[in-house]
Amino acid sequence: MKRTGQKLLMFDRKLGARFVAGADEAGRGSLAGPLVVAGVLLDYACLKEHKVRPLTYLNDSKQCSEEQRAELFHAVLGCAEKVVVRVIPPGDIDRNGLHRSNLAGLRAMLHALAPPAEACLVDGFRLGPSAPEHTAIVDGDTKSAAIAAASVIAKVTRDRLMRRMDALYPQYRFSSHVGYITPAHSAIVRQRGPSPIHRRSWRAQCYALAPLTADGSCPAEPGSAVGSAR
C-alpha cells in the first residue's frame, strides 16, 4: 500500500491555513440507496508527529480496498477536529434531482465546518454563492487530505448502510454491489422491479424490459453520465 498520505497532507499545508475543511460524496452514480455527503475538518496545528501517522496511507476511497477504507475511517475519526455526515434518501433525490441534492449536501457540510475552517475544499463542483468561500478541485480526493478523508467517511458510511439494507431486501443482494450498477444488479431489477430504495429518476431504463447493453448493464439515458462506484 502506497504512503500517499504525506503528499495529500502537504497539499493542504501549502494553503497556509490552520483549519482546512474538505467535502465529498459517495453514491452519486448508484442506482439504489442514498447519497451520502461528508465533511472533515483538519487542524494542521495539531496534526504533527504521532498524531498524523494514522493518515500515512490516506488516499481517495476508490483507490483503497474495503479493509483499507475501514482502517482509514477510524484513523480519520481519530485525527480530525470535526466530522459531519448527511444521508440524502432516494426520495429526496427523486424530488430534487441528483445534482441539486449533491450540491446542497456539500454546501451543508461546509456550512457545518466554517467557521472555524479557514480554507474549504470540495471535490469537483463549484457550490454557488450561498456556500462558504471555497475552492473546487478536480479529482480533489487524490490531491487533498481533507477531501480524501471526507471521501473515505462518505464511502464507508454509505456501504455500511447498504449492507444493512441487504437484510431488508435480500433478493437484491445489496451486500455485493451496495447499490451500484452491475450486470447482476441490473438483471435482478429487470426481473423483480425496483425496491423501495431504488431511485426512480436515475437510469430508469434499468426498470424497463428493453435489452441490456452488451456488458449486461443498463443503457445510458440521454444526457446522463455513466454510473461509477462513487
Side-chain angles (χ1 to χ4, degrees), residues 11 54 100 110:
F11 179 95
R100 185 176 296 177
L110 295 188

Side-chain angles (χ1 to χ4, degrees), residues 206-227:
C206 281
Y207 309 136
L209 295 177
L212 299 176
T213 59
D215 64 358
S217 62
C218 305
E221 294 177 10
S224 70
V226 176

